[in-house]
Amino acid sequence: MTDRIPSRRPRAARTRAAAALVIAASLVLVGCAGSGYDAETALGLQERVAAVSTAAAGGDWSTTETELMELETAAQTALARGEITQARADAIAAAIALVRADVTAALDAERAAAEQAAAEEAAAAEAARVAAEQAAAEEAARDEERGNGGKGKKDDEDDD
């Protein structure tokens, strides 16, 4: 039963983090849609946001970060070309910062869960080792009590 609990925690943490990222990415999507710039620019930014959302929903944090960088670059390029306003670029940058913070939190949670699982596994291995040593010591003590110097079981016939 305890073996299942650690495996559930990382999955639940990933699910919550992915949901938060999808929501945050959706907010960026809302920020990318709107007036003030042409449909092609909006579509390009929306496609980048969709890629962020997909990666985040899958818990693929490396790809999520890559897609965030590409979205950031696309927004900066659009700003430099005059395709979006400074206010729109700032809104997108703020949303990207929120998503990055969620990615960092998700990665930290996964690392902590993995470290916890490793610690629990090491503790279980240590407990098994101690139990095996104790069992061996008890067997040696029983052998000693039988009078064969701890060399294993002795048949009664050997006593003759």
Side-chain angles (χ1 to χ4, degrees):
M1 190 159 144
T2 58
D3 291 336
R4 286 193 230 164
I5 293 171
S7 66
R8 286 182 185 168
R9 277 186 250 157
R11 187 176 312 137
R14 283 192 302 268
T15 301
R16 283 191 303 274
L21 288 169
V22 170
I23 290 167
S26 296
L27 293 174
V28 175
L29 180 59
V30 170
C32 293
S35 60
Y37 50 98
D38 64 84
E40 186 178 333
T41 301
L43 180 61
L45 293 172
Q46 289 170 356
E47 287 174 353
R48 296 272 44 98
V49 170
V52 170
S53 295
T54 299
D60 184 348
W61 309 129
S62 176
T63 301
T64 300
E65 180 56 35
T66 298
E67 295 297 343
L68 282 170
M69 287 189 296
E70 290 181 13
L71 174 59
E72 189 172 43
T73 300
Q76 290 172 352
T77 300
L79 176 63
R81 291 180 180 165
E83 297 169 345
I84 62 173
T85 64
Q86 183 65 54
R88 181 68 65 180
D90 290 345
I92 292 169
I96 288 170
L98 289 174
V99 174
R100 276 204 176 106
D102 286 344
V103 169
T104 299
L107 287 171
D108 289 347
E110 282 191 5
R111 273 189 225 107
E115 289 171 4
Q116 177 70 26
E120 289 173 4
E121 186 176 318
E126 178 63 12
R129 184 192 64 76
V130 168
E133 285 180 3
Q134 183 177 359
E138 289 171 359
E139 180 66 28
R142 283 192 296 274
D143 288 347
E144 189 66 38
E145 287 175 4
R146 291 184 190 122
N148 62 1
K151 296 179 182 174
K153 292 184 179 180
K154 184 175 183 179
D155 292 332
D156 292 332
E157 296 173 7
D158 293 330
D159 288 338
D160 295 331

